[in-house]
């Protein structure tokens, strides 16, 4: 984690408006092989602001969290490009100086569709995106029963993504993700990623490794290419402290479910308390609503209005 970024100034949401700011910054952060970029999983504006205020220098937009929060459905390939791009654009715009790595699932179609996906993500301000080798009817990476496309279909997706990146002259990073470990073994997954590097991707992501030996091996195989690790407590990949993961060689470490569990537990408990006790629990929103408004940009909006000569928000209450 680094220093807390400016979320209170009148220009926090509009400064550094170039869509490439986050991508350029992420590439700079990855130049030091002795450090890793730590990304908490976020899925809406509130969790994104919480993560930035906590001092994280980069964010990860989880596809599972996006599907659950925007659609109310588990991550079973239901979210579309439009769902994912719109959410990514909103999160990336809150502070463009904080790089956002975003799930792009399978690229949402063939080569032409993948090109469109990369273009839209780049223009939305996304710093990096990962494309995987599951079939279109995909599912969350730590669930059983995943189906994998043939190598050439996967490579075609990646070639299309790299071509789109280069034609755009964009700094957006293309991350190749393989889910082949579960059904076809570690060697097949590693070979897919090695070919992905030859195609021209910027980083790799081997999902659902099962042992420490595999985790260390993939980092050695990839050499200078950044390797992303997905940390899912209770998933198939063993969890280790961040310092240990950095020593193994991981350069990007994401925690997709970090905000999902606490939110689920807190809201469920609060709702059940009201239902049972017939009065709102003391720890609920209550008198803290103004604090929540301030946290999500109330004072920033008032300052912008005043700077423009407006008086509409001279008195703001609830």
């Amino acid at each position: 984690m680094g220093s807390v970024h400016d979320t209170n100034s009148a220009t926090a949401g509009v400064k550094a408006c170039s869509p490439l700011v986050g991508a350029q910054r992420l590439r700079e952060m990855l130049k030091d092989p002795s450090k890793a970029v730590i990304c908490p999983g976020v899925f809406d504006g509130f969790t994104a602001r919480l993560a930035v205020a906590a001092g994280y220098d980069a964010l990860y937009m989880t596809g599972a969290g996006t599907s659950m929060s925007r659609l109310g459905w588990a991550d079973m390939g239901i979210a579309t490009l439009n769902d994912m791009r719109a959410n990514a654009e909103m999160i990336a715009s809150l502070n463009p100086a904080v790089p956002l790595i975003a799930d792009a699932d399978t690229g949402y179609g063939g080569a032409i569709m993948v090109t469109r996906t990369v273009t839209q993500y780049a223009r939305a301000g996304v710093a990096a995106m990962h494309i995987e080798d599951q079939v279109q009817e995909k599912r969350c990476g730590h669930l059983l029963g995943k189906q994998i496309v043939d190598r050439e279909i996967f490579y075609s997706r990646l070639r299309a993504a790299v071509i789109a990146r280069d034609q755009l002259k964009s700094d957006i990073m293309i991350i190749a993700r393989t889910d082949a470990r579960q059904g076809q073994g570690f060697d097949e997954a590693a070979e897919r990623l090695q070919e992905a590097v030859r195609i021209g991707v910027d980083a790799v992501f081997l999902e659902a490794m099962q042992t420490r030996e595999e985790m260390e091996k993939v980092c050695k195989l990839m050499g200078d290419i950044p390797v992303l690790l997905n940390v899912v407590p209770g998933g198939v990949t063993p969890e280790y402290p961040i310092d240990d993961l950095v020593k193994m060689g991981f350069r990007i470490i994401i925690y997709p479910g970090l905000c999902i569990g606490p939110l689920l537990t807190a809201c469920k408990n609060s709702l059940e308390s009201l239902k049972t006790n017939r009065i709102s629990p003391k720890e609920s929103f209550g008198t803290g609503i103004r604090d929540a408004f301030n946290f999500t940009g109330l004072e920033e909006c008032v300052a912008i209005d005043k700077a423009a000569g407006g008086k509409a928000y001279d008195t703001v209450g609830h």
Side-chain angles (χ1 to χ4, degrees), residues 59-62 84 88 100-105 121 126-130:
L59 308 176
Y60 174 71
M61 188 192 84
T62 156
M84 298 289 282
L100 175 67
I101 300 172
D103 189 348
D105 296 316
Y121 270 51
V126 172
M129 56 188 287
H130 59 76

Side-chain angles (χ1 to χ4, degrees), residues 44-117:
D44 61 9
F46 202 76
T47 53
R49 283 185 179 269
L50 283 167
V52 172
Y56 289 91
D57 290 323
L59 308 176
Y60 174 71
M61 188 192 84
T62 156
T66 297
S67 183
M68 287 187 281
S69 64
R70 287 182 67 89
L71 305 177
W73 287 96
D75 183 17
M76 298 295 285
I78 298 171
T80 66
L81 167 59
N82 290 340
D83 296 321
M84 298 289 282
R85 190 273 310 154
N87 203 37
E89 184 173 32
M90 179 274 295
I91 294 171
S93 71
L94 293 174
N95 192 326
V98 179
L100 175 67
I101 300 172
D103 189 348
D105 296 316
T106 63
Y108 310 105
I112 296 171
M113 195 63 188
V114 171
T115 298
R116 186 166 182 262
T117 299

Side-chain angles (χ1 to χ4, degrees), residues 53-311:
Y56 289 91
D57 290 323
L59 308 176
Y60 174 71
M61 188 192 84
T62 156
T66 297
S67 183
M68 287 187 281
S69 64
R70 287 182 67 89
L71 305 177
W73 287 96
D75 183 17
M76 298 295 285
I78 298 171
T80 66
L81 167 59
N82 290 340
D83 296 321
M84 298 289 282
R85 190 273 310 154
N87 203 37
E89 184 173 32
M90 179 274 295
I91 294 171
S93 71
L94 293 174
N95 192 326
V98 179
L100 175 67
I101 300 172
D103 189 348
D105 296 316
T106 63
Y108 310 105
I112 296 171
M113 195 63 188
V114 171
T115 298
R116 186 166 182 262
T117 299
V118 173
T119 300
Q120 291 202 11
Y121 270 51
R123 290 175 177 168
V126 172
M129 56 188 287
H130 59 76
I131 296 176
E132 67 201 46
D133 56 1
Q134 286 196 54
V135 298
Q136 296 299 334
E137 297 81 11
K138 60 146 290 177
R139 62 190 64 188
C140 180
H142 284 248
L143 293 178
L144 297 176
K146 293 179 291 184
Q147 298 180 52
I148 308 301
V149 297
D150 292 340
R151 286 187 181 191
E152 283 307 316
I153 295 176
F154 181 42
Y155 299 156
S156 176
R157 292 175 183 173
L158 299 179
R159 289 189 195 101
V162 168
I163 289 169
R165 177 201 65 198
D166 294 346
Q167 288 182 341
L168 288 168
K169 295 181 171 56
S170 172
D171 283 333
I172 189 170
M173 295 183 64
I174 305 299
I175 303 172
R177 165 179 158 170
T178 180
D179 288 74
R181 169 63 185 89
Q182 184 184 89
Q184 301 183 28
F186 177 85
D187 290 342
E188 172 66 19
E191 288 180 21
R192 288 185 175 220
L193 294 184
Q194 288 174 313
E195 180 60 25
V197 172
R198 288 189 282 269
I199 288 170
V201 303
D202 301 289
V204 297
F205 173 2
L206 202 164
E207 177 68 304
M209 290 174 284
Q210 297 183 10
T211 66
R212 180 172 186 139
E213 181 183 9
E214 290 182 353
M215 296 165 72
E216 293 174 340
K217 187 174 181 180
V218 72
C219 292
K220 291 179 181 177
L221 285 172
M222 292 302 125
D224 294 332
I225 300 297
V227 180
L228 181 151
L229 177 68
N230 182 20
V231 179
V232 179
V236 299
T237 303
E239 184 174 1
Y240 296 97
I242 288 175
D243 289 345
D244 287 356
L245 297 174
V246 174
K247 290 177 181 177
M248 290 182 203
F250 292 103
R251 305 287 302 286
I252 305 170
I253 306 171
I254 62 173
Y255 293 80
L258 193 67
C259 295
I260 295 174
L263 179 116
L264 178 64
T265 300
C267 289
K268 184 173 179 291
N269 290 344
S270 187
L271 289 165
E272 290 178 351
S273 176
L274 175 61
K275 187 77 172 178
T276 301
N277 300 321
R278 314 296 291 176
I279 188 170
S280 61
K282 293 180 180 179
E283 65 273 15
S284 68
F285 215 35
T287 56
I289 188 168
R290 187 179 178 90
D291 290 337
F293 281 153
N294 286 335
F295 183 79
T296 53
L298 174 64
E299 294 179 356
E300 181 181 324
C301 292
V302 172
I304 291 172
D305 183 69
K306 287 183 178 179
K311 297 182 180 179

Side-chain angles (χ1 to χ4, degrees), residues 13-21 96:
V14 295
K15 67 181 180 181
C17 59
S18 166
L20 299 182
V21 165

